[in-house]
Amino acid sequence: MYRAPRGTFDILPEDQPQRRFILDEAMSLCQLYGYQRLDTPIFEDYQLFARSSAGGTDVVDKEMYVFEDRSQQKLALRPEGTAPVCRAYLEHGMFNWPQPVRLYYWGPTFRYERPQAGRYRQHHQFGCEALGDSDPALDAELIEMAERFLARLGIGSFVLYLNSIGCKQCQPGYREALQHHFAKHVDELCPDCRTRLSRNPLRLLDCKRPSCQAIAATAPPISGYLCPDCRSHFESVQSHLARLGIDYRLEPALVRGLDYYTRTVFEVQPDHEAAQSALVGGGRYDNLVEQLGGKPTPGVGFACGIERLVLGLSNSGVVVPPSPYPEALVASLGAEAKGKGVELARQLRDAGIGAIMSTGRSSLKAQLRQANALGARYVLIIGEDEVRTGTVMLRDMAANKQETLPADQAERQLRHALGSTPQR
Ligand code: HAM
C-alpha cells in the first residue's frame, strides 16, 4: 500500500475547518491592511533561490528539492515565498505601481528537513511582503499585522523577538568581529560551523548544536556594530512598536535562517516551547530585489507556517466551527423512486438547498443511518407508495417526526422548515 511521502500529510475533511478559519482570518487581515493576493508557481528556476541566499544557508544548500525537467532546466520546489514575490515584482513591472506594493500569499512550501511535530517536508505558508519602501513604520506595520493575526486566531502566549542585523555598510565589520570570536574556539565548532566560519559567520549564531550555541552566547552583539543609519532605523522601528503597545524582546543572536535579511529581523515563538517552533518569521530584505537583477528596492515581510498555527489553535483551546452539515438527504426505494429522487435533489439544489442523493440500493434504515452519519437534519423519502401517489415523505431527523406531502410542495415545505431550524 502506498503512503504519503515522509514529512508530508493529507489534509482530511476533518482538518479543513481549522485551515479554513485561518485562511478566512488571513484574508480579512490583509484586506484590513491593504495587502493584495499574489499566487506564484510552486516551482521556480533553481537560480532564483540560489542567488537569493548566495552566502549559503541550510534552507537553500541542503533542504531544497531540486530537479531537472524534461528539457534539462534546473528547477526547485519553492522553499520559501519571498524570492518568488520579488521575482514577480520585477517580472510584472510592479516598481511602476505606487510604492510600497503590499502583497500576500498562501500555499505549499517544500524543505527537505527531518520531520517532527510542526516540521514537515511540505508545509504551507501565509506570508505578507511590502516592497519599495524602507520606512521603519512599514516594519512596525508588518509586526503589528503578525501580532494582530495571532490574536484574532485566539493564539495566546507568544513572544516576539526582535533584532537588527545591519546593512551592506555595517555587516562586514560585524562579520569580521564574529570571525575573530569564533576562530578562538574553532576546535569546539561542529563541522558545518567550521565551514560557515569563513563563508558566512552570521550563520554561526543560528546553529542549533549546544556546543556551538555556548560559543555563540559569548559572541559580541551586533548592536555595537550598526552604522548610524541602521541604528536610527532600528530605534525608529522600536519607537513605533512602543506607540502601538507591542511588547518585544531584543534578541541579539536572532539572524534568521535565510541569507537575504538586512536591518530588522523578527520571530514569534510560543512562549512555552523550545526553539525550532517559530510561528512567524520575517524581516527586511533591502538588497534582495537588486540581487535578483532589479534596481535597489527595499522590502520587508513575514511568513507563518499554517501547520504551526493549527497546533497553536489546539494548544490554545480554540474551537473552530465545523464545516456546514448537508441540509437534506434524498432517500429512495426502487428504480422508479430513484429517478424521482434524482429529479427532486436537482430541484432542491436549484433552490439553493444542499441535498445529498443517497445512491446504491440500501434499505431505508441504512439510508436513514447515512443521513445521521452525515448530520443531515432532513430526509426526503420516496418509496413505491410515494411514486404511486405523487408524494414525498419529509422526515425531521432531530424531532423524529415525518409528514407526507404532495411532491410538488416538498421543496417549499423544506425551505420553510429550514428557515425555522436553528443553525448548527
Ligand atoms: P521562515 O522562518 O524560514 O521564513 O519560514 C516562515 C515560517 O514557516 C516559520 O516561522 C514556520 O512557522 C514555518 N515553517 C518553516 N519551515 C517549516 C517546516 N519545515 N514545517 C512547518 N512549518 C515551517 C521564511 O520563509 C521567509 N520567507 C519569511 C519572510 C517573509 N521574510 C520576509 N518576508
Side-chain angles (χ1 to χ4, degrees):
M1 194 180 64
Y2 292 110
R3 305 186 73 94
R6 189 164 136 77
T8 71
F9 51 88
D10 300 310
I11 306 168
L12 298 175
E14 70 208 44
D15 305 325
Q16 301 291 343
Q18 281 183 315
R19 303 177 78 96
R20 177 84 224 170
F21 171 64
I22 296 169
L23 175 62
D24 286 349
E25 284 298 334
M27 291 198 305
S28 87
L29 180 89
C30 288
Q31 193 176 0
L32 199 61
Y33 286 78
Y35 284 65
Q36 301 191 80
R37 180 151 174 168
L38 169 73
D39 293 314
T40 62
I42 61 166
F43 60 86
E44 296 267 0
D45 191 320
Y46 161 81
Q47 286 299 336
L48 174 68
F49 302 110
R51 281 178 76 180
S52 73
S53 254
T57 60
D58 285 358
V59 172
V60 168
D61 295 350
K62 295 188 185 164
E63 296 170 3
M64 234 173 7
Y65 283 86
V66 181
F67 61 100
E68 269 186 13
D69 69 7
R70 285 168 193 273
S71 48
Q72 282 75 51
Q73 202 191 341
K74 197 170 176 187
L75 300 165
L77 295 184
R78 66 174 172 215
E80 62 101 29
T82 308
V85 168
C86 293
R87 196 257 316 130
Y89 175 87
L90 289 172
E91 187 171 334
H92 302 283
M94 294 186 204
F95 39 80
N96 292 321
W97 301 5
Q99 307 291 299
V101 176
R102 291 175 163 93
L103 300 164
Y104 78 95
Y105 50 91
W106 170 285
T109 311
F110 306 85
R111 294 182 188 179
Y112 186 81
E113 292 196 85
R114 198 163 49 80
Q116 57 182 115
R119 201 204 278 160
Y120 304 96
R121 291 185 174 168
Q122 175 176 336
H123 68 281
H124 298 75
Q125 285 191 5
F126 158 54
C128 297
E129 314 286 353
L131 287 125
D133 202 332
S134 60
D135 191 331
L138 207 49
D139 306 44
E141 173 179 295
L142 281 142
I143 293 172
E144 186 210 343
M145 235 178 136
E147 225 213 11
R148 187 188 299 271
F149 183 48
L150 296 178
R152 283 172 69 150
L153 293 177
I155 297 178
S157 56
F158 50 78
V159 185
L160 167 67
Y161 293 98
L162 185 69
N163 193 20
S164 171
I165 57 168
C167 65
K168 266 190 212 158
Q169 268 66 48
C170 51
Q171 250 187 31
Y174 184 54
R175 283 170 195 264
E176 231 170 77
L178 285 179
Q179 271 164 341
H180 184 70
H181 171 77
F182 283 105
K184 288 187 281 183
H185 305 275
V186 71
D187 296 337
E188 300 146 65
L189 295 175
C190 71
D192 278 349
C193 281
R194 263 180 246 157
T195 322
R196 288 169 186 146
L197 186 56
S198 56
R199 196 173 163 206
N200 195 348
L202 271 183
R203 295 262 71 80
L204 274 78
L205 295 176
D206 206 28
C207 182
K208 298 294 173 265
R209 289 184 196 239
S211 52
C212 298
Q213 280 185 342
I215 306 165
T218 57
I222 185 145
S223 48
Y225 293 81
L226 293 181
C227 63
D229 281 353
C230 285
R231 186 165 308 142
S232 94
H233 190 275
F234 195 38
E235 280 165 6
S236 185
V237 172
Q238 292 181 69
S239 85
H240 285 304
L241 293 179
R243 271 169 179 268
L244 295 170
I246 293 176
D247 288 334
Y248 57 88
R249 277 190 215 160
L250 290 178
E251 176 47 76
L254 179 64
V255 288
R256 307 269 305 118
L258 291 149
D259 203 38
Y260 46 64
Y261 289 106
T262 52
R263 295 190 164 172
T264 315
V265 286
F266 60 93
E267 244 170 51
V268 179
Q269 300 267 355
D271 71 355
H272 52 279
E273 278 168 49
Q276 273 302 319
S277 58
L279 292 164
V280 183
R284 191 161 266 294
Y285 45 89
D286 291 345
N287 303 330
L288 182 54
V289 172
E290 191 181 2
Q291 249 164 279
L292 299 178
K295 293 208 182 91
T297 308
V300 57
F302 72 80
C304 32
I306 305 311
E307 290 70 26
R308 297 202 184 163
L309 297 177
V310 168
L311 274 177
L313 290 180
S314 305
N315 291 339
S316 306
V318 176
V319 180
V320 167
S323 301
Y325 296 97
E327 289 162 317
L329 180 120
V330 179
S332 58
L333 289 166
E336 180 66 18
K338 172 65 61 67
K340 298 258 179 226
V342 169
E343 269 175 53
L344 177 60
R346 181 185 173 88
Q347 194 191 339
L348 296 178
R349 295 175 195 133
D350 285 346
I353 299 171
I356 293 189
M357 181 64 214
S358 171
T359 52
R361 276 185 284 170
S362 327
S363 66
L364 181 60
K365 214 167 147 196
Q367 295 184 61
L368 293 180
R369 261 204 313 272
Q370 188 195 2
N372 261 334
L374 292 169
R377 170 80 196 250
Y378 293 94
V379 181
L380 293 131
I381 304 163
I382 308 174
E384 280 173 19
D385 282 355
E386 284 75 17
V387 170
R388 204 165 16 85
T389 53
T391 56
V392 169
M393 193 182 289
L394 175 62
R395 182 175 169 84
D396 181 335
M397 297 295 282
N400 221 356
K401 278 191 197 151
Q402 54 195 38
E403 58 179 318
T404 301
L405 306 161
D408 58 1
Q409 283 179 29
E411 176 237 305
R412 195 162 55 93
Q413 185 61 22
L414 180 56
R415 202 150 19 97
H416 176 75
L418 285 168
S420 54
T421 305
Q423 291 298 305
R424 284 178 298 169

